[in-house]
Amino acid sequence: MRIKYENIILRDMIESDIEDYVRWFTVEREWENWDAPWEKEDTDEETERKSWTEYYESVKDRPDDARRCKFEIEWNGRHIGWVSSYCIDENYEWVGKIKDGQTVYRAIGIDICEPNLWGKGIGANVLRAFINYHFETGATELYTQTWSGNTRMIRCAEKLGFVECNRNVGTREVDGQYDGLTFRLEKHQ
């Protein structure tokens, strides 16, 4: 599946993306300083290549009408990162496995792994396209989460119409204490 929006394309993973993931998770890791840096773990090329190859094999044959939780980001023909969605509960906590009857909400996130492309409006276009995709496939509200030190993401979320709905004070330790933030966006009819 491919979604074109302005200067970006959201698309399914292709095999050549594996080597980008290996590089992003082992060598060029600056992006991790902004996406949950408290979760950063050391890894090696072999482990990453195996993991991303297995992931690619699990998703490569999805039909176009299957709902996507993740797209690769392509800008000017170059793979530069990904956008994804995940479930959170009523306390804005990540939900791994949904229990019967559990209420969950859809949160979206983005990783542009090429620092020279930050601050150019690419992320806002990516999120606009992903938001449109989710609203077109039935979502009526979306959330995004970050931490108070990630000012670029906060500005981007607000620019797109997200409104802060939850703040966990002092819950993120990144060279000091920061707040965990959740933002909400409602679909306008």
Side-chain angles (χ1 to χ4, degrees):
M1 174 179 257
R2 294 172 65 87
I3 299 169
K4 183 162 180 26
Y5 186 89
E6 304 256 338
N7 61 345
I8 56 100
I9 292 174
L10 301 184
R11 61 165 174 77
D12 288 336
M13 186 177 190
I14 57 176
E15 191 168 8
S16 61
D17 295 340
I18 295 168
E19 290 308 310
D20 291 330
Y21 278 105
V22 170
R23 177 171 47 88
W24 293 332
F25 278 85
T26 61
V27 180
E28 296 174 15
R29 300 179 65 178
E30 187 176 347
W31 65 272
E32 288 180 296
N33 293 332
W34 303 103
D35 177 9
W38 51 90
E39 294 177 355
K40 196 172 183 177
E41 293 180 11
D42 287 331
T43 186
D44 60 73
E45 288 185 12
E46 182 180 331
T47 300
E48 290 301 321
R49 191 169 289 108
K50 181 178 187 289
S51 174
W52 288 107
T53 299
E54 288 171 2
Y55 176 78
Y56 169 69
E57 291 297 327
S58 75
V59 299
K60 71 178 183 178
D61 295 321
R62 285 180 298 182
D64 276 350
D65 62 350
R67 187 176 175 126
R68 305 303 200 263
C69 291
K70 181 175 187 274
F71 286 105
E72 304 306 315
I73 305 167
E74 191 175 296
W75 175 79
N76 287 343
R78 179 177 166 202
H79 181 225
I80 64 168
W82 65 92
V83 63
S84 60
S85 66
Y86 55 95
C87 292
I88 57 174
D89 64 19
E90 64 277 356
N91 298 313
Y92 309 108
E93 298 291 332
W94 177 79
V95 175
K97 185 172 179 171
I98 301 169
K99 300 176 185 107
D100 286 341
Q102 182 178 15
T103 300
V104 295
Y105 305 95
R106 178 80 37 201
I108 61 174
I110 181 173
D111 285 294
I112 294 178
C113 300
E114 304 292 339
N116 63 321
L117 298 178
W118 296 345
K120 299 186 182 312
I122 297 168
N125 279 343
V126 167
L127 287 172
R128 276 187 194 98
F130 202 45
I131 288 165
N132 289 344
Y133 170 76
H134 280 287
F135 285 162
E136 288 168 5
T137 57
T140 58
E141 65 184 8
L142 291 170
Y143 293 81
T144 192
Q145 297 181 305
T146 191
W147 54 290
S148 58
N150 192 345
T151 55
R152 278 191 315 270
M153 183 61 213
I154 294 167
R155 279 193 312 269
C156 183
E158 290 172 343
K159 175 180 175 180
L160 294 171
F162 283 88
V163 176
E164 185 179 326
C165 63
N166 189 62
R167 179 178 291 255
N168 290 324
V169 177
T171 58
R172 298 296 179 216
E173 181 75 38
V174 186
D175 297 327
Q177 290 283 19
Y178 290 91
D179 300 343
L181 307 176
T182 301
F183 295 82
R184 181 175 190 255
L185 176 69
E186 289 185 45
K187 180 179 181 179
H188 296 288
Q189 303 300 334

